[in-house]
Amino acid sequence: MDNLTKKYYKISEVAELLSIPASTLRFWESKFTVIKPFRNNHGTRFYTPSDIDKIAQIHYLVKERGLKLEAAQEQLKINPKGIDQRIQTINRLKEMRAKAQEMLDALHSLR
């Protein structure tokens, strides 16, 4: 994710950024060793932008591609850079589609 400007994010912020429940984040943390948020003395989780990128990869594999957790773990081990590139490409295509739709809407409003 390119728009991350802070050093640490709370679980509620990460959940909102990725549109997934905080409970899912906690569950994935227990299943995927690549997610290691920093915890303060009160147990509050703080995620780095790197953690959020890894969670976005997991979200892509599990929610969008439909992989089971074990298969997603294997993919993260085998090809993490490839997964990240796919996510970036998909995001760019979504942005391009939104821009094209804006242009079409503008053209239709001129009629």
Side-chain angles (χ1 to χ4, degrees):
M1 299 193 72
D2 297 332
N3 56 348
L4 301 177
T5 56
K6 294 172 26 177
K7 190 173 182 177
Y8 294 104
Y9 292 82
K10 290 185 178 180
I11 193 167
S12 59
E13 295 171 307
V14 177
E16 186 176 327
L17 278 170
L18 298 174
S19 302
I20 54 177
S23 60
T24 300
L25 290 172
R26 289 188 293 272
F27 176 72
W28 284 352
E29 182 185 332
S30 70
K31 297 295 180 185
F32 292 90
T33 58
V34 295
I35 306 173
K36 298 174 190 157
F38 166 76
R39 288 182 186 234
N40 66 9
N41 293 337
H42 302 287
T44 304
R45 292 168 171 86
F46 293 97
Y47 295 86
T48 64
S50 175
D51 291 328
I52 296 170
D53 286 340
K54 290 171 187 163
I55 294 166
Q57 289 178 341
I58 294 167
H59 182 269
Y60 167 74
L61 292 170
V62 174
K63 299 296 184 180
E64 294 183 32
R65 294 233 1 244
L67 297 180
K68 296 193 182 278
L69 297 181
E70 296 79 20
Q73 287 173 338
E74 189 64 28
Q75 284 296 310
L76 286 171
K77 287 178 188 173
I78 294 171
N79 192 15
K81 289 183 183 179
I83 295 166
D84 193 46
Q85 288 175 344
R86 282 189 208 122
I87 292 169
Q88 289 177 12
T89 301
I90 289 168
N91 288 338
R92 274 190 240 122
L93 288 170
K94 286 179 182 177
E95 289 172 13
M96 290 170 60
R97 182 180 184 161
K99 293 248 186 215
Q101 188 62 51
E102 285 177 29
M103 288 190 273
L104 282 172
D105 293 343
L107 286 172
H108 288 298
S109 69
L110 294 175
R111 290 184 179 183

